[in-house]
Amino acid sequence: MGEKMKIETIMSKDLIIGEINQKVSEIAELMKKYDIGFIPIAQNKHLIGVVTDRDIICSTFSSELDSEAKIERYMTHNVLSIDKDESIENALKKMGQEKVKRLIVSDQEKVVGILSLSDIITSEVDNKEFITELKKIWTIHKNIDEFHTEVDEFYL
């Protein structure tokens, strides 16, 4: 492949950033308006967490969601980032190790973008390890103790 492609060549640069004092309903409205499922959360111009549509949905259906609560209650505080000059292959490996679909991209000082699996999938990356890393990211840990489903008959 020659020189490795850098993250900054394919990352999303138009960021929608939420603020720590925003309500869950406001963050959900941003997700709907911009058709996105991931929003970094900032406090005083410092990134302190991220929230996904899945975070909100899972809380909603487990009856734990208070749409008037501050987003901090539902966000993930462990922000995973990578430098914009890293290779896409290194980003993919990190995603596989951490089992995440998105990474915050920085220039060692500030946030400059977001790299998602869809950015990688639609790029020109040609790497044998790609499928292996994708499998790591989407590994499903089956819970065989609590749920048993039997399939009888389904019709179309």
Side-chain angles (χ1 to χ4, degrees), residues 63-109:
S63 300
E64 295 175 12
L65 185 77
D66 175 0
S67 64
E68 295 301 305
K70 302 293 183 203
I71 196 64
E72 182 177 24
R73 182 171 166 188
Y74 301 100
M75 71 182 194
T76 300
H77 292 270
N78 182 22
V79 178
L80 297 172
S81 66
I82 193 162
D83 190 88
K84 67 180 177 67
D85 292 325
E86 284 285 335
S87 70
I88 295 168
E89 289 80 3
N90 286 346
L92 190 57
K93 285 179 185 172
K94 186 170 188 171
M95 288 173 161
Q97 289 167 349
E98 300 292 337
K99 292 187 169 79
V100 297
K101 299 173 190 167
R102 300 172 190 95
L103 294 170
I104 298 294
V105 182
S106 71
D107 69 356
Q108 305 213 3
E109 218 177 272

Side-chain angles (χ1 to χ4, degrees), residues 92 96 127-137 139:
L92 190 57
N127 191 323
K128 292 179 204 172
E129 295 177 30
F130 184 72
I131 298 298
T132 303
E133 296 303 327
L134 275 178
K135 286 180 181 179
K136 285 182 192 175
I137 294 165
T139 298

Side-chain angles (χ1 to χ4, degrees), residues 14-18 30 34 36 38-40 114:
D14 296 326
L15 301 182
I16 304 301
I17 307 274
L30 285 174
Y34 294 103
I36 54 177
F38 177 90
I39 295 185
I114 295 174

Side-chain angles (χ1 to χ4, degrees), residues 1-149:
M1 184 175 161
E3 189 174 320
K4 301 211 180 249
M5 285 179 69
K6 291 184 179 180
I7 291 169
E8 69 179 332
T9 62
I10 66 167
M11 70 183 186
S12 300
K13 296 174 186 155
D14 296 326
L15 301 182
I16 304 301
I17 307 274
E19 290 291 326
I20 192 71
N21 60 356
Q22 285 185 284
K23 296 176 186 175
V24 173
S25 58
E26 293 170 320
I27 296 296
E29 191 58 40
L30 285 174
M31 288 178 170
K32 181 180 176 184
K33 179 178 179 179
Y34 294 103
D35 193 25
I36 54 177
F38 177 90
I39 295 185
I41 305 296
Q43 181 176 28
N44 300 323
K45 297 209 178 236
H46 291 283
L47 194 63
I48 59 167
V50 297
V51 68
T52 66
D53 50 1
R54 186 177 191 282
D55 295 331
I56 294 172
I57 292 295
C58 289
S59 295
T60 299
F61 286 102
S62 66
S63 300
E64 295 175 12
L65 185 77
D66 175 0
S67 64
E68 295 301 305
K70 302 293 183 203
I71 196 64
E72 182 177 24
R73 182 171 166 188
Y74 301 100
M75 71 182 194
T76 300
H77 292 270
N78 182 22
V79 178
L80 297 172
S81 66
I82 193 162
D83 190 88
K84 67 180 177 67
D85 292 325
E86 284 285 335
S87 70
I88 295 168
E89 289 80 3
N90 286 346
L92 190 57
K93 285 179 185 172
K94 186 170 188 171
M95 288 173 161
Q97 289 167 349
E98 300 292 337
K99 292 187 169 79
V100 297
K101 299 173 190 167
R102 300 172 190 95
L103 294 170
I104 298 294
V105 182
S106 71
D107 69 356
Q108 305 213 3
E109 218 177 272
K110 62 183 181 194
V111 174
V112 295
I114 295 174
L115 181 70
S116 69
L117 273 183
S118 62
D119 294 328
I120 296 172
I121 290 168
T122 58
S123 74
E124 299 298 317
V125 174
D126 183 26
N127 191 323
K128 292 179 204 172
E129 295 177 30
F130 184 72
I131 298 298
T132 303
E133 296 303 327
L134 275 178
K135 286 180 181 179
K136 285 182 192 175
I137 294 165
W138 266 293
T139 298
I140 298 171
H141 300 285
K142 295 182 180 178
N143 184 341
I144 58 173
D145 294 332
E146 291 186 29
F147 298 103
H148 297 282
T149 304

